[in-house]
């Protein structure tokens, strides 16, 4: 499933590290016909210390997310392993791996990959960045 993200960060991210609260709203659309699931949504609010535009990304600890599917069911996933890789062009990719712990597909393996584009240097030096809508993400569920 591919993600159409929206979200915001408070306070805005700047070059000086600070604790921020992020709120993400994901909408996933599926291109497979193997199940009756064609889309889903997920909302997540997190607090991250030492966040800055310098993209010194520390993978989060275990996170639990609930995905609500278009068929009225939901899946709660606990992501326990994160790998974050920074690229030379000031972007990074974060991959979370976990399992469905309750709801539809209990025991299924889930991988969530998020690609974060380069941040605007002028905004980082001035007003900061408070919204990020150009993220690209993929959610893969094996065994659902």
């Amino acid at each position: 499933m591919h993600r159409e993200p929206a979200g915001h960060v408070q306070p805005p991210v700047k070059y000086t590290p600070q604790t921020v609260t992020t709120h993400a709203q994901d909408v996933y659309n599926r291109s497979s016909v193997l199940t009756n699931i064609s889309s889903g949504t997920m909302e997540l609010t997190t607090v991250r210390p030492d966040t800055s535009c310098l993209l010194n990304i520390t993978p989060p600890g275990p996170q639990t997310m609930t995905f609500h599917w278009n068929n009225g069911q939901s899946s709660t996933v606990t992501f326990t392993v994160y790998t974050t890789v920074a690229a030379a062009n000031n972007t990074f990719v974060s991959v979370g791996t976990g399992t469905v712990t309750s709801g539809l597909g209990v025991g299924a393996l889930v991988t969530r990959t998020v690609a974060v584009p380069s941040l605007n240097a002028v905004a980082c030096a001035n007003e900061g960045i408070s919204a990020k809508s150009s993220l690209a993400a993929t959610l893969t569920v094996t065994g659902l």
Side-chain angles (χ1 to χ4, degrees), residues 1-3 26-32 34-35 37 40 42 65 67 69 75-79 81 94-100 104-105 107-114 136-144:
M1 292 189 166
H2 296 285
R3 169 188 184 201
D26 294 359
V27 176
Y28 291 92
N29 293 300
R30 182 183 176 99
S31 59
S32 173
L34 297 177
T35 70
I37 297 172
M42 185 278 301
M65 300 176 191
F67 297 86
W69 308 117
S75 302
T76 299
V77 179
T78 300
F79 292 94
V81 177
S94 179
V95 179
T97 304
T99 57
V100 177
L104 181 64
L109 178 66
V110 181
T111 303
R112 182 173 181 256
T113 304
V114 179
T138 303
L139 183 71
T140 303
V141 181
T142 304
L144 183 62

Side-chain angles (χ1 to χ4, degrees), residues 31-118:
S31 59
S32 173
V33 295
L34 297 177
T35 70
N36 63 344
I37 297 172
S38 60
S39 64
T41 62
M42 185 278 301
E43 289 191 40
L44 176 68
T45 300
T46 59
V47 176
R48 298 290 309 256
D50 299 323
T51 300
S52 77
C53 287
L54 298 175
L55 292 180
N56 183 8
I57 303 301
T58 302
Q63 287 185 315
T64 299
M65 300 176 191
T66 300
F67 297 86
H68 300 278
W69 308 117
N70 66 295
N71 66 358
Q73 295 181 287
S74 62
S75 302
T76 299
V77 179
T78 300
F79 292 94
T80 56
V81 177
Y82 278 90
T83 304
T84 302
V85 178
N89 60 355
N90 204 27
T91 65
F92 71 91
V93 175
S94 179
V95 179
T97 304
T99 57
V100 177
T101 55
S102 69
L104 181 64
V106 169
L109 178 66
V110 181
T111 303
R112 182 173 181 256
T113 304
V114 179
V116 179
S118 178

Side-chain angles (χ1 to χ4, degrees), residues 8-14 16-22 46-48 51-53 127-131:
H8 62 274
V9 179
Q10 286 298 95
V13 177
K14 298 182 176 192
T16 304
Q18 61 186 336
T19 297
V20 299
T21 300
T22 62
T46 59
V47 176
R48 298 290 309 256
T51 300
S52 77
C53 287
E127 72 276 9
I129 297 174
S130 60

